[in-house]
Amino acid sequence: MIDEKPYRSGYVALLGRPNAGKSTLLNHLVGERIAAVSNKPQTTRHKIQGIVTSDDGQIVFVDTPGVHKPGYLLNRRMMASVHDAILSVDLILLMRDAAVSTGNGDKFVLNLVKQSEKPAILVLNKTDKLREKGKLLPLIEFYSGEYDFKEIIPISALKGDAIDVLLEEIAKNLPVNEPIFADDEMTDQPLRILVAEMVREKILESTTEELPYVTAVVTEKFDESNPKMTKIYCAIYVERDSQKRIIIGKQGSRIKDIGIKARKDIEHLMDKKIYLQLFVKVVKDWRNQERQLNEIGISG
Ligand code: GDP
Ligand code: MG
């Protein structure tokens, strides 16, 4: 008998309060290639963060905006979109820093998991910071009492400890499926999109208002004629003048800050110097206007 594992694939959300180590883990797991289909929506559902493909499975990590901003009062519409995003995945990874005590942020994301009733794996990160592994026991006990986790896996995202175990357990808990993205649907160079997402991320980070949810970023021009310095022009779409003023900030301070931070990330991504220009466009009610959505390329 041939012992052949069935192919499994699915969407996975990585949840956890800021500083839990989510980005560190994703950077570790995810290669350069992401799906070209992520060109489309910059909206909440299935914003793809990265794809891990192996011989027996494909894990598609998706972002769930809003989840990682506990502490702010999220309005009902935002909460609805958070729940919607979570409900559309096959598996949740709930990650926390095992070396610090449980905070409100941890409870906030734990509650989201409970409400979703989705299959979930608890990832206890930063085990390298623990002198004694016994310190994990109270945490394991607490979380086991709160939710029926499929697995509880201590890792160190930084050192790469037990990441292979984690990957295996993720795959095991995904549905038996064809790969969601075929090789030819993936690209090494979705630069325009990655750039727009990096700008959008900086907007999210530097504003606490509801604003980001009415924001779309589009890379309008990508000028590589000068090999020493790529010039990138991004438009930030908002719906109202008041939102434009928030993004621009006092004497342009906020948009400048967003630009500086985004440029650093983009330079890191592209491994070269870039010139980044941001401008804000007010398009009234853009989210409801099919034609304009098509124009800025985020429909569907
Ligand atoms: P995020 O906010 O959840 O995306 O967290 P980050 O991935 O940005 O990590 C926050 C901080 O924790 C960074 O300084 C990381 O280097 C650090 N970090 C992440 N994982 C580990 C880990 O396994 N061990 C240790 N010691 N530090 C970690
Ligand atoms: Mg992060």
Side-chain angles (χ1 to χ4, degrees), residues 16-24 26-27 49 68 201 205:
R17 76 177 213 201
N19 218 38
K22 302 178 294 292
S23 303
T24 308
L26 281 177
N27 289 341
Q49 285 186 307
H68 312 300
E201 185 183 288
E205 280 174 14

Side-chain angles (χ1 to χ4, degrees), residues 9-293:
S9 67
Y11 291 96
V12 175
L14 177 57
L15 309 186
R17 76 177 213 201
N19 218 38
K22 302 178 294 292
S23 303
T24 308
L25 177 66
L26 281 177
N27 289 341
H28 210 103
L29 292 181
V30 170
E32 295 290 303
R33 285 154 59 82
I34 71 164
V37 276
S38 69
N39 295 6
K40 278 193 251 156
Q42 273 195 16
T43 46
T44 46
R45 264 192 170 229
H46 290 177
K47 195 190 116 191
I48 293 165
Q49 285 186 307
I51 300 169
V52 183
T53 308
S54 70
D55 286 345
D56 32 53
Q58 184 178 65
I59 305 164
V60 181
F61 286 100
V62 293
D63 193 16
T64 46
V67 173
H68 312 300
K69 279 205 140 188
Y72 299 113
L73 272 182
L74 299 183
N75 71 25
R76 269 172 61 193
R77 206 182 71 232
M78 283 184 246
M79 276 320 287
S81 74
V82 166
H83 288 295
D84 186 46
I86 292 177
L87 287 177
S88 68
V89 301
D90 299 294
L91 179 71
I92 297 172
L93 296 191
L94 176 60
M95 180 186 252
R96 63 158 289 161
D97 182 339
V100 297
S101 53
T102 307
N104 285 337
D106 295 306
K107 288 180 186 152
F108 174 84
V109 280
L110 174 61
N111 269 328
L112 289 172
V113 175
K114 284 162 100 170
Q115 284 161 21
S116 76
E117 297 177 6
K118 283 267 164 187
I121 292 176
L122 176 66
V123 182
L124 299 174
N125 190 29
K126 310 199 188 181
T127 51
D128 59 291
K129 278 169 71 184
L130 296 174
R131 286 244 180 82
E132 309 155 42
K133 302 297 171 219
K135 290 242 166 76
L136 290 171
L137 291 176
L139 268 185
I140 293 173
E141 200 171 328
F142 169 71
Y143 277 91
S144 311
E146 293 288 321
Y147 195 68
D148 189 12
F149 288 97
K150 295 282 176 198
E151 309 285 341
I152 297 181
I153 305 174
I155 67 160
S156 167
L158 193 65
K159 308 267 183 212
D161 292 347
I163 303 279
D164 47 343
V165 180
L166 177 62
L167 274 182
E168 211 170 289
E169 293 302 332
I170 295 172
K172 241 194 232 171
N173 284 285
L174 293 178
V176 174
N177 246 338
E178 299 286 300
I180 295 168
F181 297 109
D183 255 6
D184 61 1
E185 279 179 302
M186 297 212 267
T187 167
D188 295 322
Q189 286 183 315
L191 273 181
R192 278 172 174 256
I193 286 83
L194 286 178
V195 161
E197 305 229 317
M198 283 178 162
V199 172
R200 190 163 187 272
E201 185 183 288
K202 298 306 163 199
I203 297 171
L204 278 158
E205 280 174 14
S206 61
T207 52
T208 55
E209 295 88 349
E210 181 181 339
L211 176 78
Y213 299 86
V214 295
T215 307
V217 178
V218 178
T219 307
E220 300 214 322
K221 202 166 147 206
F222 209 98
D223 175 3
E224 294 189 282
S225 55
N226 177 351
K228 290 226 176 84
M229 166 95 75
T230 301
K231 289 184 177 167
I232 302 172
Y233 301 81
C234 289
I236 300 166
Y237 286 83
V238 292
E239 292 188 324
R240 291 195 296 270
D241 285 329
S242 59
Q243 295 161 344
K244 177 173 176 173
R245 281 197 294 276
I246 293 173
I247 294 209
I248 289 177
K250 265 203 190 117
Q251 285 157 355
S253 57
R254 185 175 269 154
I255 196 165
K256 188 176 162 204
D257 188 50
I258 291 167
I260 290 170
K261 288 181 174 150
R263 178 166 53 77
K264 265 178 63 183
D265 276 11
I266 297 163
E267 285 182 341
H268 183 69
L269 172 80
M270 296 179 61
D271 203 19
K272 65 194 284 196
K273 289 262 171 259
I274 63 145
Y275 166 85
L276 175 66
Q277 185 164 321
L278 305 178
F279 39 95
V280 185
K281 290 186 177 177
V282 180
V283 180
K284 200 167 161 287
D285 209 21
W286 65 259
R287 282 175 302 167
N288 294 326
Q289 293 179 27
E290 187 72 31
R291 189 180 56 78
Q292 275 163 343
L293 285 178

